[in-house]
Coordinates of all heavy atoms in Angstrom, one line a residue:
M1 N -14.5 2.8 14.2 CA -13.5 1.7 13.9 C -13.7 1.2 12.5 O -14.8 1.0 12.0 CB -13.8 0.5 14.9 CG -13.5 0.8 16.3 SD -11.8 0.9 16.7 CE -11.5 -0.8 17.1
C2 N -12.6 1.0 11.8 CA -12.7 0.5 10.5 C -12.9 -1.0 10.5 O -12.1 -1.7 11.2 CB -11.4 0.9 9.7 SG -11.2 0.1 8.1
P3 N -13.8 -1.5 9.7 CA -14.1 -3.0 9.8 C -13.0 -3.8 9.2 O -12.9 -5.0 9.5 CB -15.4 -3.1 8.9 CG -15.9 -1.8 8.7 CD -14.8 -0.8 8.9
R4 N -12.1 -3.2 8.4 CA -11.1 -4.0 7.8 C -9.8 -4.1 8.7 O -9.3 -5.2 8.9 CB -10.7 -3.5 6.4 CG -9.6 -4.3 5.8 CD -9.3 -3.9 4.4 NE -10.5 -4.0 3.4 CZ -10.8 -5.1 2.8 NH1 -10.0 -6.2 2.9 NH2 -11.8 -5.2 2.0
C5 N -9.4 -2.9 9.2 CA -8.1 -2.9 9.9 C -8.4 -2.7 11.4 O -7.4 -2.8 12.2 CB -7.2 -1.9 9.4 SG -7.7 -0.2 9.6
N6 N -9.6 -2.5 11.8 CA -10.0 -2.4 13.2 C -9.2 -1.2 13.9 O -8.9 -1.3 15.1 CB -9.7 -3.7 14.0 CG -10.7 -4.7 13.6 OD1 -11.9 -4.5 13.5 ND2 -10.2 -5.9 13.4
K7 N -9.0 -0.2 13.2 CA -8.4 1.0 13.8 C -9.4 2.2 13.7 O -10.3 2.2 12.8 CB -7.1 1.4 13.1 CG -6.0 0.4 13.4 CD -4.7 0.8 12.6 CE -3.6 -0.3 12.8 NZ -2.6 -0.3 11.7
R8 N -9.2 3.2 14.5 CA -10.0 4.3 14.5 C -10.0 5.0 13.1 O -8.9 5.2 12.6 CB -9.6 5.3 15.6 CG -10.5 6.5 15.7 CD -9.8 7.5 16.5 NE -9.8 7.1 17.9 CZ -10.7 7.6 18.8 NH1 -11.5 8.5 18.5 NH2 -10.6 7.2 20.1
V9 N -11.1 5.5 12.7 CA -11.2 6.3 11.4 C -11.4 7.7 11.7 O -12.4 8.1 12.3 CB -12.3 5.7 10.5 CG1 -12.3 6.4 9.2 CG2 -12.2 4.2 10.3
Y10 N -10.4 8.5 11.3 CA -10.6 10.0 11.5 C -11.4 10.6 10.3 O -11.4 10.0 9.2 CB -9.2 10.6 11.6 CG -8.5 10.2 12.9 CD1 -7.6 9.2 12.9 CD2 -8.8 10.9 14.1 CE1 -6.9 8.8 14.0 CE2 -8.2 10.5 15.3 CZ -7.2 9.4 15.2 OH -6.6 9.1 16.4
F11 N -11.9 11.7 10.6 CA -12.9 12.3 9.7 C -12.2 12.5 8.3 O -12.9 12.2 7.3 CB -13.3 13.7 10.2 CG -14.3 14.4 9.3 CD1 -15.6 14.0 9.3 CD2 -13.9 15.4 8.5 CE1 -16.6 14.6 8.5 CE2 -14.8 16.0 7.6 CZ -16.2 15.6 7.7
A12 N -11.0 13.0 8.2 CA -10.4 13.3 6.9 C -10.2 12.1 6.0 O -10.2 12.2 4.8 CB -9.0 14.0 7.2
E13 N -10.1 10.9 6.6 CA -9.9 9.7 5.8 C -11.1 8.8 5.8 O -11.1 7.7 5.3 CB -8.7 8.9 6.3 CG -8.8 8.6 7.8 CD -7.5 8.2 8.4 OE1 -6.5 8.1 7.7 OE2 -7.5 7.9 9.6
K14 N -12.2 9.3 6.2 CA -13.4 8.5 6.4 C -14.3 8.3 5.2 O -14.5 9.3 4.5 CB -14.3 9.0 7.6 CG -15.5 8.2 7.8 CD -16.2 8.7 9.1 CE -17.2 9.8 8.7 NZ -18.1 10.1 9.9
V15 N -14.7 7.1 4.8 CA -15.8 6.9 3.9 C -16.8 6.0 4.6 O -16.4 5.2 5.4 CB -15.3 6.3 2.6 CG1 -14.4 7.3 1.8 CG2 -14.6 5.0 2.8
T16 N -18.1 6.3 4.3 CA -19.1 5.5 5.0 C -19.8 4.7 3.9 O -20.3 5.2 2.9 CB -20.1 6.4 5.7 OG1 -19.4 7.3 6.6 CG2 -21.1 5.6 6.4
S17 N -19.8 3.4 4.2 CA -20.6 2.4 3.3 C -21.0 1.2 4.2 O -20.3 0.9 5.2 CB -19.7 2.0 2.2 OG -20.5 1.6 1.1
L18 N -22.1 0.6 3.8 CA -22.6 -0.6 4.5 C -22.9 -0.2 5.9 O -22.9 -1.0 6.8 CB -21.6 -1.8 4.5 CG -21.1 -2.2 3.1 CD1 -20.1 -3.3 3.2 CD2 -22.2 -2.5 2.2
G19 N -23.1 1.1 6.2 CA -23.5 1.6 7.5 C -22.3 1.6 8.5 O -22.4 1.7 9.7
K20 N -21.1 1.5 7.9 CA -19.9 1.5 8.7 C -18.9 2.6 8.2 O -19.0 3.0 7.0 CB -19.2 0.2 8.7 CG -20.0 -0.9 9.4 CD -19.4 -2.3 9.1 CE -20.3 -3.3 9.7 NZ -20.1 -4.6 9.0
D21 N -18.0 3.0 9.0 CA -17.0 3.9 8.6 C -15.7 3.2 8.3 O -15.2 2.4 9.0 CB -16.7 4.9 9.8 CG -17.9 5.8 10.0 OD1 -18.7 6.0 9.1 OD2 -18.0 6.3 11.2
W22 N -15.1 3.5 7.1 CA -13.9 2.8 6.6 C -12.9 3.9 6.3 O -13.2 5.0 6.0 CB -14.2 2.1 5.3 CG -15.4 1.2 5.3 CD1 -16.7 1.5 5.3 CD2 -15.3 -0.3 5.2 NE1 -17.5 0.3 5.3 CE2 -16.6 -0.7 5.2 CE3 -14.2 -1.2 5.1 CZ2 -16.9 -2.1 5.1 CZ3 -14.5 -2.5 5.0 CH2 -15.9 -3.0 5.0
H23 N -11.6 3.5 6.4 CA -10.6 4.3 5.8 C -10.8 4.2 4.3 O -11.1 3.2 3.8 CB -9.2 3.7 6.1 CG -8.8 3.8 7.6 ND1 -8.8 2.6 8.3 CD2 -8.6 4.8 8.4 CE1 -8.5 3.0 9.6 NE2 -8.3 4.3 9.6
R24 N -10.5 5.3 3.6 CA -10.8 5.3 2.2 C -10.0 4.1 1.5 O -10.6 3.4 0.7 CB -10.3 6.6 1.6 CG -10.8 6.8 0.1 CD -10.2 8.1 -0.5 NE -10.5 9.2 0.4 CZ -11.6 10.0 0.2 NH1 -12.4 9.7 -0.7 NH2 -11.8 11.0 1.0
P25 N -8.7 3.9 1.8 CA -8.0 2.8 1.1 C -8.5 1.4 1.6 O -8.2 0.4 1.0 CB -6.6 3.0 1.5 CG -6.5 4.0 2.6 CD -7.8 4.7 2.6
C26 N -9.2 1.4 2.7 CA -9.6 0.1 3.3 C -10.9 -0.4 2.6 O -11.3 -1.6 2.7 CB -9.8 0.1 4.8 SG -8.3 0.2 5.7
L27 N -11.7 0.5 2.0 CA -12.9 0.1 1.3 C -12.6 -0.4 0.0 O -12.5 0.3 -1.0 CB -13.9 1.3 1.2 CG -15.2 0.9 0.6 CD1 -16.0 0.0 1.5 CD2 -16.1 2.2 0.4
R28 N -12.2 -1.7 0.0 CA -11.7 -2.4 -1.3 C -12.5 -3.6 -1.5 O -13.0 -4.3 -0.5 CB -10.3 -2.7 -1.1 CG -9.3 -1.6 -1.3 CD -7.9 -2.0 -1.1 NE -7.8 -2.7 0.2 CZ -6.6 -3.0 0.7 NH1 -5.5 -2.8 0.1 NH2 -6.6 -3.6 1.9
C29 N -12.6 -4.1 -2.7 CA -13.2 -5.3 -3.0 C -12.5 -6.5 -2.3 O -11.2 -6.6 -2.4 CB -13.2 -5.6 -4.5 SG -13.8 -7.2 -5.0
E30 N -13.2 -7.3 -1.6 CA -12.7 -8.4 -0.8 C -11.9 -9.4 -1.7 O -11.0 -10.1 -1.3 CB -13.8 -9.1 0.0 CG -13.4 -10.1 1.0 CD -12.6 -9.4 2.2 OE1 -12.7 -8.2 2.4 OE2 -12.0 -10.2 2.9
R31 N -12.3 -9.5 -2.9 CA -11.8 -10.5 -3.8 C -10.6 -9.9 -4.7 O -9.6 -10.5 -4.7 CB -12.9 -11.0 -4.7 CG -12.3 -12.1 -5.7 CD -13.5 -12.7 -6.5 NE -13.0 -13.6 -7.5 CZ -12.5 -13.2 -8.7 NH1 -12.5 -12.0 -9.1 NH2 -12.1 -14.1 -9.5
C32 N -10.8 -8.8 -5.3 CA -9.8 -8.3 -6.3 C -9.0 -7.1 -5.7 O -8.0 -6.8 -6.3 CB -10.4 -8.0 -7.6 SG -11.4 -6.5 -7.6
G33 N -9.4 -6.5 -4.6 CA -8.6 -5.5 -4.0 C -8.8 -4.1 -4.7 O -8.2 -3.2 -4.3
K34 N -9.8 -4.0 -5.6 CA -10.0 -2.7 -6.2 C -10.7 -1.8 -5.2 O -11.5 -2.2 -4.5 CB -11.0 -3.0 -7.4 CG -11.3 -1.8 -8.2 CD -11.8 -2.2 -9.6 CE -13.2 -2.7 -9.5 NZ -13.7 -3.2 -10.8
T35 N -10.2 -0.5 -5.3 CA -10.9 0.5 -4.4 C -12.3 0.7 -4.8 O -12.6 0.9 -6.0 CB -10.0 1.8 -4.5 OG1 -8.7 1.5 -4.2 CG2 -10.5 2.8 -3.5
L36 N -13.2 0.8 -3.9 CA -14.6 0.9 -4.1 C -15.1 2.3 -3.8 O -14.6 3.0 -2.9 CB -15.4 -0.1 -3.4 CG -15.0 -1.6 -3.7 CD1 -15.6 -2.5 -2.7 CD2 -15.4 -1.9 -5.1
T37 N -16.2 2.7 -4.5 CA -16.9 3.9 -4.2 C -18.0 3.7 -3.1 O -18.7 2.7 -3.3 CB -17.6 4.5 -5.4 OG1 -16.6 4.5 -6.5 CG2 -18.1 5.9 -5.2
P38 N -18.0 4.5 -2.1 CA -19.0 4.3 -1.0 C -20.4 4.3 -1.6 O -20.8 5.2 -2.4 CB -18.9 5.5 -0.1 CG -17.5 5.9 -0.3 CD -17.1 5.6 -1.8
G39 N -21.2 3.2 -1.4 CA -22.5 3.1 -1.9 C -22.6 2.6 -3.3 O -23.6 2.3 -3.8
G40 N -21.4 2.5 -4.0 CA -21.4 2.0 -5.4 C -20.8 0.7 -5.5 O -20.2 0.4 -6.5
H41 N -21.0 -0.2 -4.6 CA -20.4 -1.5 -4.6 C -21.4 -2.6 -4.1 O -22.4 -2.2 -3.4 CB -19.1 -1.6 -3.9 CG -19.2 -1.2 -2.5 ND1 -19.6 -2.1 -1.5 CD2 -19.1 -0.1 -1.8 CE1 -19.6 -1.6 -0.3 NE2 -19.3 -0.3 -0.5
A42 N -21.1 -3.8 -4.3 CA -21.9 -4.9 -3.7 C -21.4 -5.3 -2.3 O -20.3 -4.8 -1.9 CB -21.9 -6.1 -4.7
E43 N -22.2 -6.1 -1.7 CA -21.8 -6.5 -0.3 C -22.3 -7.9 -0.1 O -23.3 -8.4 -0.6 CB -22.5 -5.6 0.7 CG -22.4 -5.9 2.1 CD -23.5 -6.8 2.6 OE1 -24.6 -6.8 2.0 OE2 -23.3 -7.5 3.6
H44 N -21.5 -8.7 0.7 CA -21.9 -10.0 1.1 C -21.3 -10.3 2.4 O -20.1 -10.2 2.7 CB -21.4 -11.1 0.0 CG -21.8 -12.5 0.3 ND1 -23.1 -12.9 -0.1 CD2 -21.2 -13.5 1.0 CE1 -23.2 -14.1 0.3 NE2 -22.1 -14.5 1.0
D45 N -22.1 -10.7 3.4 CA -21.7 -11.0 4.8 C -20.9 -9.8 5.4 O -19.9 -10.0 6.1 CB -20.8 -12.2 4.8 CG -21.6 -13.5 4.9 OD1 -22.8 -13.4 5.3 OD2 -21.0 -14.6 4.7
G46 N -21.3 -8.6 5.0 CA -20.7 -7.4 5.6 C -19.3 -7.0 4.9 O -18.7 -6.1 5.3
Q47 N -18.9 -7.8 3.9 CA -17.7 -7.5 3.2 C -18.0 -6.9 1.9 O -18.9 -7.3 1.2 CB -16.9 -8.8 2.9 CG -16.6 -9.7 4.1 CD -15.7 -9.0 5.1 OE1 -14.8 -8.3 4.7 NE2 -15.9 -9.2 6.4
P48 N -17.2 -5.8 1.5 CA -17.5 -5.2 0.2 C -16.9 -5.9 -1.0 O -15.8 -6.5 -0.9 CB -16.8 -3.8 0.4 CG -15.7 -4.1 1.4 CD -16.1 -5.2 2.3
Y49 N -17.6 -5.9 -2.0 CA -17.1 -6.5 -3.3 C -17.5 -5.5 -4.4 O -18.5 -4.8 -4.3 CB -17.8 -7.8 -3.6 CG -17.5 -8.9 -2.6 CD1 -18.2 -9.1 -1.5 CD2 -16.4 -9.8 -2.9 CE1 -17.9 -10.1 -0.6 CE2 -16.1 -10.8 -2.0 CZ -16.8 -10.9 -0.8 OH -16.5 -11.9 0.0
C50 N -16.7 -5.5 -5.5 CA -17.2 -4.8 -6.7 C -18.3 -5.6 -7.4 O -18.3 -6.8 -7.3 CB -16.0 -4.5 -7.6 SG -15.2 -6.0 -8.3
H51 N -19.2 -4.9 -8.1 CA -20.3 -5.6 -8.8 C -19.8 -6.5 -9.8 O -20.2 -7.6 -10.0 CB -21.2 -4.6 -9.4 CG -22.1 -3.9 -8.4 ND1 -23.1 -4.6 -7.7 CD2 -22.2 -2.6 -7.9 CE1 -23.8 -3.7 -6.9 NE2 -23.2 -2.6 -7.0
K52 N -18.8 -5.9 -10.6 CA -18.3 -6.7 -11.7 C -16.8 -6.6 -11.7 O -16.2 -5.5 -11.6 CB -18.8 -6.1 -13.1 CG -20.2 -6.4 -13.3 CD -20.8 -5.8 -14.5 CE -22.3 -6.1 -14.5 NZ -23.0 -5.4 -15.5
P53 N -16.1 -7.7 -11.8 CA -16.7 -9.0 -12.0 C -17.0 -9.8 -10.8 O -17.7 -10.8 -10.8 CB -15.7 -9.7 -12.9 CG -14.4 -9.2 -12.3 CD -14.6 -7.8 -11.9
C54 N -16.5 -9.3 -9.6 CA -16.3 -10.2 -8.5 C -17.7 -10.7 -7.9 O -17.9 -11.9 -7.7 CB -15.5 -9.6 -7.4 SG -13.9 -9.2 -7.9
Y55 N -18.6 -9.8 -7.7 CA -19.9 -10.3 -7.1 C -20.6 -11.2 -8.0 O -21.1 -12.3 -7.6 CB -20.7 -9.1 -6.7 CG -21.9 -9.4 -5.8 CD1 -21.7 -9.5 -4.4 CD2 -23.1 -9.8 -6.4 CE1 -22.8 -9.8 -3.6 CE2 -24.2 -10.2 -5.5 CZ -24.0 -10.2 -4.2 OH -25.0 -10.6 -3.3
G56 N -20.6 -10.9 -9.3 CA -21.2 -11.8 -10.2 C -20.6 -13.2 -10.3 O -21.2 -14.2 -10.4
I57 N -19.2 -13.2 -10.2 CA -18.5 -14.5 -10.2 C -18.8 -15.3 -8.9 O -19.1 -16.5 -8.9 CB -17.0 -14.3 -10.4 CG1 -16.7 -13.8 -11.8 CG2 -16.3 -15.6 -10.1 CD1 -15.3 -13.3 -12.0
L58 N -18.7 -14.6 -7.8 CA -18.8 -15.3 -6.5 C -20.2 -15.7 -6.2 O -20.5 -16.8 -5.7 CB -18.2 -14.4 -5.4 CG -16.7 -14.2 -5.4 CD1 -16.3 -13.2 -4.4 CD2 -16.0 -15.5 -5.2
F59 N -21.1 -14.8 -6.4 CA -22.5 -15.0 -6.0 C -23.5 -14.9 -7.1 O -24.7 -14.8 -6.9 CB -22.9 -14.0 -4.9 CG -21.8 -13.8 -3.9 CD1 -21.0 -12.7 -3.8 CD2 -21.5 -14.9 -3.0 CE1 -20.0 -12.5 -2.9 CE2 -20.4 -14.7 -2.1 CZ -19.7 -13.6 -2.0
G60 N -23.0 -15.0 -8.3 CA -23.8 -14.7 -9.5 C -25.0 -15.5 -9.7 O -26.1 -15.0 -10.0
P61 N -24.9 -16.9 -9.5 CA -26.1 -17.7 -9.8 C -27.4 -17.3 -9.1 O -28.4 -17.3 -9.7 CB -25.7 -19.1 -9.3 CG -24.2 -19.1 -9.5 CD -23.7 -17.6 -9.2
R62 N -27.2 -16.7 -7.9 CA -28.3 -16.2 -7.2 C -28.7 -14.8 -7.7 O -29.9 -14.5 -7.9 CB -28.0 -16.1 -5.7 CG -29.1 -16.6 -4.8 CD -28.6 -16.6 -3.4 NE -27.2 -16.2 -3.2 CZ -26.6 -16.3 -2.1 NH1 -27.2 -16.6 -1.0 NH2 -25.3 -15.9 -2.0
G63 N -27.7 -14.0 -7.9 CA -27.9 -12.6 -8.2 C -28.4 -12.4 -9.6 O -29.4 -11.6 -9.9
V64 N -27.8 -13.0 -10.6 CA -28.1 -12.6 -12.0 C -29.2 -13.5 -12.6 O -29.9 -13.0 -13.5 CB -26.8 -12.7 -12.9 CG1 -25.8 -11.7 -12.5 CG2 -26.3 -14.1 -12.9
N65 N -29.5 -14.7 -12.1 CA -30.5 -15.5 -12.7 C -31.9 -14.9 -12.5 O -32.8 -15.2 -13.3 CB -30.5 -16.9 -12.1 CG -29.6 -17.8 -12.9 OD1 -29.4 -17.6 -14.1 ND2 -29.0 -18.8 -12.3
T66 N -32.0 -14.1 -11.4 CA -33.3 -13.6 -11.2 C -33.7 -12.4 -12.0 O -34.8 -11.9 -12.1 CB -33.4 -13.2 -9.7 OG1 -32.4 -12.3 -9.4 CG2 -33.3 -14.4 -8.8
G67 N -32.6 -11.8 -12.6 CA -32.8 -10.6 -13.4 C -33.2 -10.9 -14.9 O -33.6 -12.0 -15.2
A68 N -33.0 -9.9 -15.7 CA -33.3 -10.0 -17.1 C -32.3 -11.0 -17.8 O -31.1 -11.1 -17.3 CB -33.2 -8.6 -17.8
V69 N -32.7 -11.6 -18.8 CA -31.8 -12.5 -19.5 C -30.6 -11.8 -20.1 O -29.5 -12.3 -20.1 CB -32.6 -13.2 -20.7 CG1 -31.7 -14.0 -21.5 CG2 -33.7 -14.1 -20.1
G70 N -30.8 -10.5 -20.5 CA -29.8 -9.7 -21.1 C -28.6 -9.5 -20.1 O -27.5 -9.6 -20.5
S71 N -29.0 -9.2 -18.9 CA -27.9 -8.9 -17.9 C -27.2 -10.2 -17.5 O -26.0 -10.2 -17.2 CB -28.5 -8.2 -16.7 OG -29.1 -9.2 -15.9
Y72 N -27.9 -11.3 -17.6 CA -27.2 -12.6 -17.3 C -26.1 -12.9 -18.3 O -25.0 -13.2 -17.9 CB -28.3 -13.7 -17.4 CG -27.7 -15.1 -17.2 CD1 -27.4 -15.6 -16.0 CD2 -27.4 -15.9 -18.3 CE1 -26.8 -16.9 -15.8 CE2 -26.9 -17.2 -18.2 CZ -26.6 -17.6 -16.9 OH -26.0 -18.9 -16.7
I73 N -26.4 -12.6 -19.6 CA -25.3 -12.8 -20.6 C -24.2 -11.8 -20.4 O -23.0 -12.2 -20.5 CB -25.9 -12.7 -22.0 CG1 -26.9 -13.9 -22.2 CG2 -24.9 -12.7 -23.1 CD1 -27.8 -13.7 -23.4
Y74 N -24.6 -10.6 -20.1 CA -23.6 -9.5 -20.0 C -22.6 -9.8 -18.8 O -21.5 -9.5 -18.9 CB -24.4 -8.2 -19.7 CG -23.5 -7.0 -19.7 CD1 -22.9 -6.5 -20.8 CD2 -23.2 -6.4 -18.4 CE1 -22.1 -5.4 -20.7 CE2 -22.3 -5.3 -18.4 CZ -21.8 -4.8 -19.5 OH -21.0 -3.7 -19.5
D75 N -23.1 -10.5 -17.8 CA -22.3 -10.7 -16.6 C -21.3 -11.8 -16.8 O -20.4 -12.0 -16.0 CB -23.2 -11.1 -15.4 CG -23.7 -9.8 -14.7 OD1 -23.0 -8.8 -14.7 OD2 -24.9 -9.9 -14.3
R76 N -21.4 -12.6 -17.9 CA -20.5 -13.7 -18.1 C -19.3 -13.1 -18.9 O -19.4 -12.3 -19.7 CB -21.2 -14.7 -19.0 CG -22.3 -15.4 -18.3 CD -21.8 -16.2 -17.1 NE -22.8 -16.6 -16.2 CZ -22.7 -16.7 -14.9 NH1 -21.5 -16.4 -14.3 NH2 -23.7 -17.0 -14.1
D77 N -18.1 -13.7 -18.6 CA -16.9 -13.4 -19.3 C -17.1 -13.8 -20.7 O -17.7 -14.9 -21.0 CB -15.8 -14.2 -18.7 CG -14.5 -13.8 -19.3 OD1 -14.1 -14.4 -20.4 OD2 -13.8 -12.9 -18.9
P78 N -16.7 -13.0 -21.7 CA -17.0 -13.3 -23.1 C -16.4 -14.7 -23.5 O -16.9 -15.3 -24.4 CB -16.3 -12.2 -23.9 CG -16.1 -11.1 -22.9 CD -16.1 -11.7 -21.5
E79 N -15.3 -15.1 -22.9 CA -14.7 -16.3 -23.3 C -15.2 -17.5 -22.4 O -14.7 -18.6 -22.5 CB -13.1 -16.2 -23.1 CG -12.5 -15.3 -24.2 CD -11.1 -14.9 -23.9 OE1 -10.5 -15.6 -23.0 OE2 -10.7 -13.9 -24.4
G80 N -16.1 -17.2 -21.5 CA -16.7 -18.2 -20.7 C -15.9 -18.8 -19.6 O -16.2 -19.8 -19.0
K81 N -14.8 -18.1 -19.3 CA -14.0 -18.6 -18.2 C -13.9 -17.5 -17.1 O -14.1 -16.3 -17.3 CB -12.6 -18.9 -18.7 CG -11.8 -17.7 -19.1 CD -10.4 -18.1 -19.6 CE -9.6 -16.8 -19.9 NZ -9.1 -16.9 -21.3
V82 N -13.7 -18.0 -15.9 CA -13.7 -17.1 -14.7 C -12.3 -16.5 -14.6 O -11.3 -17.2 -14.7 CB -14.0 -17.9 -13.4 CG1 -13.9 -17.1 -12.2 CG2 -15.4 -18.5 -13.6
Q83 N -12.3 -15.2 -14.3 CA -11.0 -14.5 -14.2 C -10.4 -15.0 -12.9 O -11.0 -15.3 -11.9 CB -11.3 -13.0 -14.0 CG -12.1 -12.4 -15.2 CD -11.2 -12.1 -16.4 OE1 -10.0 -12.1 -16.3 NE2 -11.8 -11.9 -17.5
P84 N -9.0 -15.0 -12.9 CA -8.3 -15.4 -11.7 C -8.6 -14.5 -10.5 O -8.8 -13.3 -10.7 CB -6.8 -15.4 -12.0 CG -6.8 -14.5 -13.3 CD -8.1 -14.6 -13.9
Ligands
ZN1 ZN1 -8.9 0.7 7.9
ZN2 ZN1 -13.6 -7.1 -7.2

């Protein structure tokens, strides 16, 4: 069963990520809708997100503050505003 549309996933269209089987077009960032690569994206509450910019924007203060200072700056929008 695909976690997004709750329909059966057949082998030909299956991608596996977060320990679940998704339709390839259903594995999208929950926030921006960008198609994601299995295993190459972030996750929150079982929902897939792209690392940049969405995960950093939504959950950044927890995620990026613990890392290097350089990556903290890099994760910010150059103009200091959050993308729509
Ligand atoms: Zn689906
Ligand atoms: Zn996104």
Side-chain angles (χ1 to χ4, degrees):
M1 297 285 275
C2 171
R4 181 176 297 275
C5 66
N6 290 318
K7 290 178 186 157
R8 179 196 288 262
V9 184
Y10 292 97
F11 182 79
E13 55 195 356
K14 180 172 90 170
V15 291
T16 304
S17 204
L18 310 177
K20 293 168 187 157
D21 293 336
W22 307 70
H23 296 109
R24 193 188 304 271
C26 287
L27 184 65
R28 283 178 305 189
C29 173
E30 189 68 16
R31 180 176 176 275
C32 72
K34 184 163 68 183
T35 307
L36 299 170
T37 308
H41 60 84
E43 174 269 337
H44 185 83
D45 273 347
Q47 304 296 324
Y49 293 89
C50 61
H51 284 291
K52 288 177 185 171
C54 297
Y55 193 86
I57 288 171
L58 292 171
F59 315 112
R62 224 175 354 186
V64 295
N65 269 332
T66 55
V69 173
S71 79
Y72 175 80
I73 293 166
Y74 183 75
D75 277 323
R76 293 295 162 213
D77 185 272
E79 290 165 20
K81 65 181 186 233
V82 174
Q83 304 280 345

